[in-house]
Amino acid sequence: MKHICKNIVAAGVIALFSGAAAHALEYKAGDFGFKLSGYATGGALDYDFDNPDFIGDWRARGEVDWRANDSNKLGLVYSIDAAAVDEDKFLREGFTYWQNRDVGRFEFGFTDSIARKLGVGLPDVGGLRVNDKPLFYKKITPNGPVISDTTLTTGRSALRLNYATMPIGMAQYGLSVAGLTDHYDYAIDGAVKIRQPSGKVKTAYTFGASFMSHPDGYRTDAYTPRVYADWRAQVSGGINIQYNSWMFGTTARLIYDENPIGPISDGLAVGTGVSYDILNYSISLTYIFSDTGVWNRDVDDYMDHTAIASFRYKYSENVDIWMSGGLTTETPFIAVGLRLTL
């Protein structure tokens, strides 16, 4: 307990100064605008109940835009976070965009595919980054390859062109093409999202698909081997339902590699969860199942079950205190921390 208390204090100090360094700014001068946002999380994670390890997470995002007229806006976005730095990258995203009120939005640069941007995540109120390369796997090494992200992704390291329509009724459509990378010839992604944002019950449905030609040392899931195959196909789907203070979510992702060479890294990941908010308090339960190698009967597939319960207290508009406990890779863990949102 003494070790845990020391790590909580250290987490609070580091998160506080990290947040101050990335102070949120928003400035407008005529048709030009600038926005800087981000978050910082510091905490401790213990999976052997002996010596808790410090965990940290952060993200900073800057955007400059110019409103050419009532219908057109141009912008430039750059962001960097802890996940990118862990992989020795100097950005998470860096792209320019053109947004037209009637046509939709075009993005060009290094960014997520449209299938991921129109996707939905799993309910989670903790600070372990459940929907994006979870932090607990940095401390608890899986016994095999784990597809931890249930939302379709083809990475951010290739030059990409995204297009998304403006909402057409309740639906929004998107298409993206990526290439100019050493890790595959090209990738094509498509997605549709259907939303009902009003009423007592609010819903969002999403479906995405992608095709990648000749993946060559490609990897976006941090806990799976690199892919060498003739081609890779993915499909994903998800639903979020909000009823008063309740939020329900279910997502699934299937990956198939044609004629893979080397370790197997395709399979499926399915997740579900629920969260509840009351005043300044939130709780959530999240479960993710990963089965890697399911399509290839020449090797044994590896299955992983992860279950997490989280609690969050919103101290103020920008400060959250959170605690999570769970079981992953047959290893129980507990984590606590402080999160500043800017």
Side-chain angles (χ1 to χ4, degrees):
M1 180 62 68
K2 184 178 180 181
H3 290 297
I4 295 177
C5 292
K6 287 182 177 179
N7 278 276
I8 293 174
V9 173
V13 173
I14 292 175
L16 180 62
F17 282 96
S18 298
H23 185 67
L25 295 172
E26 188 167 2
Y27 175 75
K28 289 189 177 297
D31 295 324
F32 289 90
F34 171 78
K35 183 186 297 184
L36 179 64
S37 60
Y39 69 82
T41 296
L45 184 146
D46 191 354
Y47 62 92
D48 56 14
F49 303 103
D50 179 36
N51 187 21
D53 290 331
F54 173 77
I55 56 173
D57 186 32
W58 54 270
R59 180 176 300 172
R61 185 181 190 273
E63 178 176 348
V64 179
D65 64 72
W66 172 53
R67 186 171 297 278
N69 51 48
D70 291 340
S71 299
N72 295 280
K73 184 169 73 170
L74 301 175
L76 183 66
V77 174
Y78 171 83
S79 69
I80 187 168
D81 62 5
V85 173
D86 287 343
E87 298 176 0
D88 297 323
K89 297 178 180 177
F90 63 91
L91 58 78
R92 175 185 173 90
E93 291 185 297
F95 66 93
T96 184
Y97 69 83
W98 167 49
Q99 186 168 305
N100 180 276
R101 187 172 58 184
D102 300 317
V103 176
R105 179 180 171 107
F106 290 89
E107 298 175 343
F108 181 71
F110 299 94
T111 185
D112 284 306
S113 70
I114 201 66
R116 182 173 181 86
K117 291 194 175 189
L118 292 182
V120 295
L122 296 171
D124 174 66
V125 303
L128 293 176
R129 207 168 61 204
V130 167
N131 289 297
D132 185 11
K133 298 179 180 177
L135 287 173
F136 42 79
Y137 280 125
K138 292 181 65 175
K139 304 298 181 180
I140 308 173
T141 304
N143 295 326
V146 173
I147 304 170
S148 62
D149 197 331
T150 59
T151 304
L152 189 156
T153 178
T154 52
R156 294 180 291 268
S157 59
L159 200 59
R160 183 183 302 277
L161 176 64
N162 281 343
Y163 169 66
T165 67
M166 298 300 287
I168 303 173
M170 293 189 298
Q172 188 173 17
Y173 305 90
L175 181 69
S176 70
V177 179
L180 297 181
T181 174
D182 294 333
H183 296 308
Y184 53 82
D185 293 342
Y186 64 87
I188 301 175
D189 300 73
V192 59
K193 188 171 188 177
I194 301 173
R195 284 174 287 192
Q196 175 56 51
S198 59
K200 192 172 185 179
V201 179
K202 302 176 178 62
T203 59
Y205 306 86
T206 183
F207 175 80
S210 77
F211 175 84
M212 179 183 294
S213 175
H214 291 100
D216 183 11
Y218 161 81
R219 180 176 66 187
T220 55
D221 294 274
Y223 319 108
T224 58
R226 295 189 179 276
V227 183
Y228 301 86
D230 290 347
W231 50 264
R232 162 170 282 200
Q234 298 183 74
V235 294
S236 68
I239 177 174
N240 281 173
I241 301 174
Q242 182 179 349
Y243 175 75
N244 292 332
S245 297
W246 291 92
M247 172 67 78
F248 303 89
T250 298
T251 56
R253 176 185 176 200
L254 279 70
I255 308 171
Y256 175 79
D257 294 331
E258 178 70 9
N259 295 326
I261 300 173
I264 303 301
S265 60
D266 61 358
L268 61 89
V270 181
T272 189
V274 59
S275 66
Y276 179 74
D277 297 329
I278 179 170
L279 300 176
N280 291 345
Y281 302 90
S282 301
I283 58 173
S284 68
L285 296 173
T286 308
Y287 169 74
I288 301 175
F289 169 70
S290 170
D291 192 349
T292 309
V294 63
W295 316 119
N296 192 320
R297 294 308 175 189
D298 295 333
V299 297
D300 293 332
D301 52 341
Y302 176 72
M303 293 180 285
D304 180 76
H305 303 268
T306 298
I308 301 172
S310 297
F311 166 81
R312 182 184 67 186
Y313 170 66
K314 195 170 185 63
Y315 177 76
S316 68
E317 183 179 358
N318 303 106
V319 181
D320 296 339
I321 301 170
W322 59 270
M323 177 170 56
S324 296
L327 176 69
T328 185
T329 343
E330 301 180 353
T331 303
F333 68 88
I334 187 170
V336 295
L338 177 70
R339 175 184 173 100
L340 300 185
T341 304
L342 305 170

